[in-house]
Amino acid sequence: MNIRKRILIPMTVLTIVCGLAVLVSSIILFNAELNDTIEDKVFAAKNMAENTIADMRERARLAAIGMSNNSDMAAAILDGNRGAVMALANNLKTVTHLDYSIIFDAGGYIIARTHEPEMYGDNFGHLPHVASALRGESQSYIIQGQTIVLGASAGAPIFDEFGEIIGAITLGFRMDRQDFAHRLKELTGCEITIFMDAVRVASTVLGEEGDSVVGLELEDRISRQVLSGNIYSNRMEIFGRNALAMYSPLYGAEREVVGILSVGYYTEEDTQKIWMFILNGLLASLAVLTVCIFIARYVSGYIESQLNKMMAEVREADEYIRLMFNAMPCCVLWDSNLRVINCNTEALKFFGVDATDDLEYKVADLSPEFQPDGSPSVEGEREMVKKAFNEGYNRQEWMHRSMDGELLPCEVTLVRVKHGEEYLVATFIRDLREQKALFAEIEEAHDDLRKALESAEVANKAKTSFLANMSHEIRTPMNSIIGFTELAIDDDISPKTRDYLTNILENSVWLLQIINDILDISKVESGKLELENIPFSLPDLFVNCRTMVAQKAEEKGLALYFYAEPSFGKVPLGDPIRLRQILVNLLSNAIKFTSSGIVKLHASVKEVTEKTITMGFVVKDSGIGMTNEQIERVFDSFVQAETGITRKYGGTGLGLTITKSILDIMGGKLAVESTPGVGSKFSFDLTFDVIDVSEADQYEKVTSLEGMEKPGFKGEVLICEDNAMNQQVITEHLARVGLTAVVAENGKVGADKVASRIKNGEKQFDLIFMDMHMPVMDGLEASKLIRDMDESIPIIALTANIMAHDRELYKDNGMVDYVGKPFTSQELWRCLMRFFTPVNWRTEDADQRMHADAALRQKLINNFMLSNRYAWVGITDALGAGDIKTAHRLAHTLSSNAGQLRKTRLQQAAKDVELALGKGTDETTPEKLAVLKDELEAVLLELSPMEGKGREPAISEAAMDAAAVRALLDKLLPLLDKGDPECLSFVAELQRIPGSDPVIDKMESFDFKSAKALLEDWDG
């Protein structure tokens, strides 16, 4: 056979066999792939449907939370205005596109519902989403019902202004309607059926007659498996049509299966697709066979003609290889006997010899006697070649020598190659003379560059230090300029002068912000920016951020939306001041560049471990937005999105640079997404260490008391507190849990009371609450004095300062725990549980507690107005007289009193002044004092109409006779002498004595000494 037949026949046979093999395997793979595709489609459709239902539940939950915070709804429920409640519920249903909503009172009874029948009064408090809402939680479930057979329902609590639950709202989507099933079919491309238990309540499937199958039950063998929590999937006949169906359980509360989700796909077209594939495959195989025969004929002829050409090319290639070998860098070939057998012309030139034989004969003369490291060259060369033979490769530096004696530093690379049945070693030699000279130049240049870099670093540090020092120096006169300008504006001046001063004030504030930004940048660059690691409340921080930016947002008519997801019983540790600076920078930017719309701040929990929590923060606006080019430049110092922005919107361009720098130090990364004309989104994640909210399991019962249940104790407690409002609050709270309180107006009096009981052999106090800032003797000194007298008495710090270093200070001075000011009932109970065993647990009547809280608040208002009306004057007078200690104590007292009434702006203003005086020097500014004055006047104006209210009218009985008065005084005077708040229980009897109001005022202000003095004057 000739060459053409030898190629043509095997190629034809091989093509036929391969074509059949490909066709058969393709049919098998196609059928398997088709089945896998259908199964994947059904599984994906099932997941999409489940995700859609889960999304509906979340949408319902978020809508419930949003509506539960509607103050109009809370007001309508408190007023009993069912019409208003109904209107708000219908409006909610329209706005959120939900199917229904129901409003409940605090007992779980329906107030209003937006779907038929419009009945009310029924109690649905047993439903899980309603029950969770009435417990203060927001949950969503799939719920069975009568009117709504199956629905995705969510509930949320509705609170009054005191944080008490007054009702709940539930809303959701109906899953028992045909439009719901058809909507899922549009999303998934599969037939959808929703079952309540085993009964079809909504379905896109039609019966054999084309009628609806709603109301029919699922086969018992399938329903039993799925209702027990398993997924059932199989090919089956559904109402006369072949299909692949998957049934999965729908879970309600407590993981109870309340229904079934069915996803199906009809498979009649599968068989037709396979036969069409077989037919097409046969036709394609025949076409391929024809083409292959034609190609084989052509290829065989072509190969025959090319074989002759190949032989000529091989001979020519051998010549080319020889030319390439000679054109290569210096190369020498060695055999296994370590003899030079060949070399190229470059090697001859490099060593200065005429032929390969000369190179072999004089190889010992081609290296100096010793290498630079002192080793003999002859032995080293043999070892170098041996290593290449044994290992296949070797590279090292070597010192050669030319025939005229010139030393040649080289890099030698040895490679083992196979030649026939033997191995050779090819040695490639690279001349390093130029490289050595170049390295010497580079090293010299590197030394020069290092010296220049060190000089630059010294200059940069000097610049950074100068900026930091100058920023601090400039801030002092700038604060004075701003303060005096504000004072001048308040004077009676002409409009023109007021306009000049206003411009001066605005530009001074702008300049001060620039100085502060430069100071922060210098701190970052100099590495002096330090971070705290203290517990903080993210919701409180968000409230503070909102306060700082609210005015600018209101001036521009922007809506602010703030939300912080709960941290599940974990308190983060970090630097709240710097985190607030980051958020305020981003919020200020968002407000600055937004003309209308909304600015959002959102924090969500990304990950929670035993020791850490990762939070994601997002600031989003509907402002001018940025292009990709602008985003790339926006983090550069002193650079904004474009030049005209500084002129139009103001600012230094440092805010985002500082924010990014602080985030880098905190371990976060600032990301930006923006679209011109649409808005921007700045986001970052931060991981914080955490501590538990409750540090001991024994307080778990108190922590869970979100309702009315409270512990009852028995014992006597000493309160060392100079602030009358704080005395009222702590005494009232202790009385509510059965504890008797004795008040000492400073640490010295408290220590004397302890000493008196020791001296007289009386029962000692069971517990002492100790304020830190008091006249005569402060809390730390008093605690040490008491510990020296009796170490067994537990002393609790009663203070607003609960930072980590403060708590360590309290512990070092003998205090075993602390309670922050202001505190909640649960926080106080949790502390008391450490030192008292409850004698009972009581359910407190809600109306009674509300009445008591209202009465206490009225007392606090009265006391606040009495004690703080001239607080600002007292602080400024003390500062004028150089009495820093008194001014600090007055600011501390005002901050504490404002906190008791939840006047956060005043509390913060007083706190700022208190901190400025905390080191014993006057570091206040006119600006801080002016803010304090404005906030105090605002609170006094707000509370003025409520002053003096709350005292019960005098009992309309005959005045006491002398004997009754004498008996009352005998009971009252000892209590006043001991500072026992039990004396307040005699107020009603005192009201029957004409002229007793001054005594009562002193008693209710906890000024027991003055009250005693007035009574003794009567008695005298």
Side-chain angles (χ1 to χ4, degrees), residues 442-457:
I442 292 175
E443 183 63 28
E444 183 179 355
H446 183 268
D447 288 340
D448 294 340
L449 181 62
R450 183 173 60 251
K451 293 176 182 178
L453 180 60
E454 290 174 353
S455 299
E457 289 178 349

Side-chain angles (χ1 to χ4, degrees), residues 643-682:
T643 307
I645 286 181
T646 301
R647 186 175 296 109
K648 180 176 181 181
Y649 295 98
T652 63
L654 285 175
L656 288 179
T657 305
I658 295 170
T659 297
K660 181 178 181 297
S661 299
I662 298 175
L663 271 176
D664 289 342
I665 297 173
M666 286 182 164
K669 183 178 181 181
L670 186 59
V672 185
E673 299 175 26
S674 187
T675 303
V678 176
S680 303
K681 182 176 81 172
F682 291 81

